[in-house]
Amino acid sequence: MKTTKRILSLLLALAILCSMFLISSSAASTTAFDILSSSRYAKTYTLSSSGTTIPYTSQSLSTRGTVTYGASSTSYIDNRTDELYLIDVGVSNGKYWAYVSYPTSSKRVYAYIPLSAISDNNASHAKTTSTGTFNCSLRSSTSVSGSYYVSKGDTVYLVATSGSKYQILYPTSGSAYRLAWCNASDYNKYCAGGTTSSPSLSDAEQQIYDRLQNMANGSYGNGVYRTGTRYTGEYANEQCKGFAKKVHMVLFGYNIGSTKSKPNNYQISISSSNTSLVGSISDLSSASNTTVSNLFSKARAGDFIQVRRSHSGSHSMIFLSSDANGVTVFECNVDGKNGIQIATYSWSKFLSSNAAVSVYTAKDYRLH
């Protein structure tokens, strides 16, 4: 926890303050974490109750130290005792980071840590309202207690799952939140209607998901988007990109943009006024199943997927869903004949077929 202290100039202080407000624009779009800021942080602890977590000076997670004081070979977070204030979450070059403050002997300091230190981030971030009061714990390995609890009427976000425990984000006193763990049975009873172990989709995502299913089964669009047929609609000459672009337009009402040139053909030249980057992995050859699964756990039905294939060509798809095993997409021209299909790819298959990937979401995320 000790760091090499040095006096900060006013310029550096201003730079740090500005960086805290700029992080959100580059963060992955995650329903729960998007509500966090320097003034509305989430109190939490590391997943491990022993050892230390190394803090870093930047999102690259390469230089040990803190944003506050810079590089330091002695900086560390004590997993046993240090309460973190989670300010933001994002992804940079395939590395998922969390921006936090943690206590030292004299003050709280700011740093980046791997997101995996505090959350698996493997749920859909469903937003619900609790119909009752139930207790939580600071870690999945400890029993719930009355010291930490969700109250009736609280807005609750499901962030991750671990066996019979769910990690949730909920409001506490003042303007802060708490990232803690509850029993799955309590969540299902008070936040999921007691009928399912998994959260339901938001209203907007459910509508978009349903539209995609209707397009795929031919009940919407006069069969133009029906699986098992050839796509001959608008932009059909652009093959997979034209199909995905048109489907995206049907959902959100605008043209997402053009594919960038090689080797950046896993990216789209988006207009930042209407589209946000959910996340991007520039080198899938060195990525793990967990890394790519974490990226898609942040996607929502209808999001635009752009990949560079292992053979250096590009491919476009529309996201439908994902889970621990793989991703399901709506796409065309995998057969080279503009054939339309819904396909599920295991994470190992996705990694072997593609060299890089980007996922984009509409800022005005609703069915148009």
Side-chain angles (χ1 to χ4, degrees), residues 93-216:
N93 295 323
K95 294 182 178 180
Y96 287 85
W97 49 259
Y99 186 56
V100 302
S101 75
Y102 68 93
T104 66
S105 57
S106 61
K107 62 181 294 185
R108 299 192 71 87
V109 297
Y110 295 90
Y112 293 91
I113 62 174
L115 177 60
S116 59
I118 57 174
S119 177
D120 288 333
N121 195 32
N122 60 5
S124 63
H125 289 225
K127 178 182 178 181
T128 62
T129 300
S130 177
T131 61
T133 298
F134 57 94
N135 295 335
C136 300
S137 60
L138 297 180
R139 292 187 171 93
S140 61
S141 58
T142 58
S143 300
V144 300
S145 74
S147 299
Y148 309 98
Y149 60 90
V150 173
S151 298
K152 181 179 180 180
D154 280 351
T155 297
V156 178
Y157 295 86
L158 178 61
V159 176
T161 61
S162 179
S164 62
K165 286 288 190 70
Y166 284 0
Q167 189 179 39
I168 59 175
L169 186 75
Y170 63 92
T172 61
S173 58
S175 59
Y177 294 88
R178 172 70 68 181
L179 185 62
W181 294 84
C182 68
N183 291 326
S185 58
D186 286 334
Y187 179 91
N188 291 332
K189 179 178 179 180
Y190 297 110
C191 297
T195 59
T196 175
S197 60
S198 301
S200 60
L201 299 177
S202 67
D203 290 344
E205 188 171 2
Q206 188 65 61
Q207 291 174 9
I208 290 166
Y209 185 88
D210 291 344
R211 171 64 59 83
L212 287 167
Q213 293 293 333
N214 290 336
M215 295 172 80

Side-chain angles (χ1 to χ4, degrees), residues 299-348:
R300 298 176 290 187
D303 283 0
F304 197 101
I305 304 170
Q306 183 69 22
V307 298
R308 181 175 73 241
R309 292 298 204 188
S310 298
H311 54 64
S312 80
S314 64
H315 185 57
S316 305
M317 300 168 277
I318 297 296
F319 177 83
L320 278 173
S321 64
S322 68
D323 57 25
N325 299 311
V327 60
T328 300
V329 299
F330 193 27
E331 61 181 355
C332 97
N333 201 47
V334 174
D335 61 356
K337 301 177 181 179
N338 266 14
I340 303 170
Q341 66 177 12
I342 287 179
T344 298
Y345 299 100
S346 67
W347 295 126
S348 58

